[in-house]
Amino acid sequence: MLLLAVGWLASRALMLWLLAHDQPTLLGSGGVAREVWKLYFQWYGGLTHGAFPSGDHLWQYPPGAGLVLLSPALLPNLTYFQAFVVLTVLTDAVIALVLVRAGIRPGRSLRGAGLWIAGLPLLLHIPLARYDVQVTAFAVISLLALSRSKRACGAFAALGALVKVWPALALIGTPRGRTTREAWTAAAVTAITLLALLAALFRNPFDFLRQQGGRGVQIESLGGTVLMFARQAGWPGRTHYQYGAVEFVGPHVHDVAVGSLALTVVAFALLLLWRLRARRWTAATPYDAALAAVLLFTVTSRVISPQYMVWLIGLAAVCLTSRHTTQRPVALLILAATAVSTMEYPTLYGQVINTTWVGCVLMLVRNGLLAAAAVASFVRLWRSGRPLPDHPEPDGPTRNPARIPVLSPTGG
């Protein structure tokens, strides 16, 4: 554990140094921190006056995000930017400590904590200038709380979902029966309660819903990669900054966006089919299912920003805390995709925006790795749900091998 502590301190010091030297001359593209000191701070001003952004096409987040953006007020002696970074680093430390605590339990592993500590710095200073670390903390705590408190699991998943939606997928793999009922009920109660509270305290809490429909195809998405190569082949579209990201505009972009949404629906259908047909849950199944679900939804999304890798690193780390996870090869693919993400942003982002051959190849490699990870993750999850050879009838007498703890599908 001493090595983990030293690794965390050294790597986070480097990340902070990079954030303090966020200049184009260092990494090819500066302005990573601008999101906090300009955009977040602008929203913070309105939130302190009791109103969510209204008519702002950049505000596309559930109302719980407002509480995260207000949190720097807890450190009034610091500037908004300084307080935000301090709280992000503290949240990062909490995630590491939670993973270490989970890893030292009998039958568990410290590989998860090691993955988080070593994997996050692959994104350089980006995680410190976005609030995805805070969102990931809700999902990580939710999953690791499941073995001790189903209600706490559901509550943390709901809190995360009200900040950035995807942590709700942490509940996709809860064992059927009592476990699912308690976790999902707690999530629903928590979400409804907090939404009602925010609606009572703030104006325009649901204005974000109006901004979602206009999103196009971001250049870093899987669909964006297709359009990048189409542009090399003579397609007349171009890139344009809109809705807080660089997106493609031109003929057939809408068709690609619809195709991405269709793939998301297919991904949801596959996850639902797995849940209905799975007959065996191990202690790692909820973790593996959450990673597979977020991977599928990330790959099929119209937007795949570099900070999304924070989510995947966090969920992969949770998987690796269990010795029975099926996702070890997937975690390696995620680390490789994270390293390539750093090359495309901020290092060579100009090449990506201009859709040069270098940019095209970078996005093909990064998104190819993510697609491979998503397929491998789901296939391994599907296979893990099959009954063992000596478990032909899941509802009949069974004999659980001592080396793999098998949970009842009914959550007993």
Side-chain angles (χ1 to χ4, degrees):
M1 285 193 291
L2 178 60
L3 182 61
L4 292 175
V6 172
W8 186 88
L9 289 171
S11 59
R12 274 45 180 185
L14 177 59
M15 292 169 70
L16 287 168
W17 184 87
L18 289 171
L19 186 64
H21 297 80
D22 182 31
Q23 301 297 327
T25 55
L26 182 64
L27 293 170
S29 175
V32 171
R34 188 183 302 117
E35 192 103 351
V36 178
W37 60 258
K38 185 176 182 181
L39 186 60
Y40 290 3
F41 184 63
Q42 173 187 324
W43 289 336
Y44 172 82
L47 289 165
T48 57
H49 290 88
F52 283 91
S54 178
D56 185 348
H57 65 275
L58 297 180
W59 179 257
Q60 303 157 7
Y61 311 108
L67 299 181
V68 176
L69 299 183
L70 280 171
S71 62
L74 297 172
L75 302 174
N77 294 326
L78 301 177
T79 67
Y80 183 84
F81 178 79
Q82 292 170 338
F84 183 90
V85 173
V86 168
L87 291 174
T88 302
V89 172
L90 289 176
T91 305
D92 168 26
V94 168
I95 294 175
L97 288 172
V98 168
L99 290 167
V100 167
R101 184 178 179 184
I104 61 177
R105 291 167 56 191
R108 296 297 189 105
S109 171
L110 286 171
R111 289 192 185 97
L115 179 73
W116 175 258
I117 291 171
L120 198 66
L122 291 177
L123 290 168
L124 305 178
H125 52 304
I126 294 173
L128 302 184
R130 303 291 187 274
Y131 67 88
D132 295 270
V133 170
Q134 289 88 327
V135 181
T136 302
F138 285 115
V140 169
I141 294 172
S142 170
L143 287 167
L144 294 177
L146 179 61
S147 61
R148 298 192 176 188
S149 172
K150 304 170 184 65
R151 293 183 177 87
C153 169
F156 276 104
L159 291 173
L162 289 179
V163 177
K164 225 170 189 181
V165 181
W166 71 264
L169 295 173
L171 301 179
I172 194 72
T174 53
R176 292 194 294 266
R178 179 180 175 184
T179 299
T180 289
R181 287 195 300 272
E182 291 190 11
W184 291 16
T185 299
V189 170
T190 302
I192 292 171
T193 302
L194 185 56
L195 282 174
L197 182 62
L198 290 171
L201 297 177
F202 293 87
R203 300 185 300 277
N204 313 314
F206 303 109
D207 190 76
F208 76 100
L209 294 172
R210 294 194 301 165
Q211 313 306 327
Q212 285 292 328
R215 293 301 295 263
V217 178
Q218 187 199 34
I219 60 173
E220 295 165 279
S221 67
L222 196 63
T225 302
V226 173
L227 292 174
M228 288 180 78
F229 280 92
R231 194 177 185 194
Q232 290 290 345
W235 175 66
R238 59 186 177 85
T239 59
H240 180 66
Y241 182 81
Q242 56 187 15
Y243 291 96
V246 180
E247 298 182 346
F248 279 108
V249 294
H252 307 299
V253 171
H254 178 71
D255 297 332
V256 174
V258 171
S260 295
L261 292 174
L263 287 174
T264 300
V265 173
V266 171
F268 179 78
L270 288 173
L271 290 166
L272 181 61
L273 183 62
W274 163 79
R275 184 168 176 83
L276 293 173
R277 298 195 62 175
R279 291 296 179 267
R280 187 167 66 96
W281 263 257
T282 71
T285 299
Y287 309 160
D288 295 354
L291 178 59
V294 175
L295 266 169
L296 286 171
F297 276 82
T298 298
V299 168
T300 60
S301 173
R302 293 171 292 171
V303 179
I304 308 180
S305 298
Q307 61 266 28
Y308 290 12
M309 303 305 299
V310 176
W311 317 345
L312 301 176
I313 294 171
L315 293 177
V318 173
C319 291
L320 294 191
T321 62
S322 173
R323 298 182 186 275
H324 308 296
T325 182
T326 63
Q327 304 293 306
R328 290 190 187 91
V330 177
L332 294 177
L333 289 171
I334 289 171
L335 287 179
T338 302
V340 179
S341 291
T342 301
M343 291 297 297
E344 61 94 356
Y345 181 85
T347 312
L348 297 172
Y349 197 49
Q351 302 277 352
V352 177
I353 293 176
N354 294 321
T355 63
T356 66
W357 277 112
V358 172
C360 290
V361 171
L362 275 175
M363 295 317 309
L364 179 65
V365 173
R366 198 284 296 269
N367 289 337
L369 287 167
L370 282 180
V375 172
S377 181
F378 181 75
V379 168
R380 286 173 165 269
L381 176 68
W382 183 277
R383 291 174 177 171
S384 71
R386 295 175 179 174
L388 294 174
D390 55 349
H391 291 69
E393 296 294 336
D395 296 324
T398 61
R399 181 166 52 84
N400 293 346
R403 64 184 181 89
I404 300 182
V406 179
L407 305 180
S408 164
T410 59

